[in-house]
């Protein structure tokens, strides 16, 4: 029973809930970035590069073969094309760069708020030297 109680306590910690929330929001954000890359960013880039559709950029290693039909029945199954889809890879790299940049910006903003909080906390009370001086002066009296 100790293991189950420990596991339950682990799951109920705030950090786990925050992590789960971040994963869900991150997944949704990833879909937004993918759509932005595929639907907004890559079409103009493809147009500038000579009307290239990045989704169709690939190196075909083996051509696909359609199914052979005879009297409405499939005599030989289709063989799928084997290709290296480097256009999809380029789009994924763009996704990664955009997400990385967004995370960088969020972390920079977070660091700025932390620095402001540290300054406020440091200025809140007397320094150690001031307290020691007060104690010394009180002991002299």
């Amino acid at each position: 029973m100790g293991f189950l109680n420990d596991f339950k306590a682990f799951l109920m910690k705030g950090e786990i809930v925050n992590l789960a929330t971040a994963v869900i929001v991150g997944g949704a954000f990833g879909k937004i970035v993918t759509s932005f890359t595929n639907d907004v960013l890559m079409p103009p880039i493809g147009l500038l590069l000579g009307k290239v559709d990045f989704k169709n950029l690939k190196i075909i290693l083996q051509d696909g073969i359609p199914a052979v039909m005879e009297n409405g029945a499939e005599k030989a199954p289709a063989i799928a094309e084997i290709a290296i889809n480097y256009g999809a890879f380029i789009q994924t790299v763009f996704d990664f760069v955009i997400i990385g940049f967004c995370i960088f910006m969020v972390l920079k903003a977070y660091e700025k708020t932390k620095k402001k909080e540290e300054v406020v906390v440091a200025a809140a009370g007397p320094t150690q030297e001031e307290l020691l001086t007060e104690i010394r002066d009180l002991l002299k009296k």
Side-chain angles (χ1 to χ4, degrees), residues 6 14-15 17 24 44 55 67 82 96 105 115 127 130 136:
D6 290 345
E15 293 87 16
V17 174
I24 292 168
K55 294 174 190 168
I82 300 173
F96 175 77
M105 296 304 291
K115 287 179 184 176
T127 65
E130 292 171 340
R136 183 196 65 198

Side-chain angles (χ1 to χ4, degrees), residues 63-69 74 76-80:
D63 287 327
I65 300 172
V68 177
M69 304 295 283
E74 187 176 52
I79 298 174

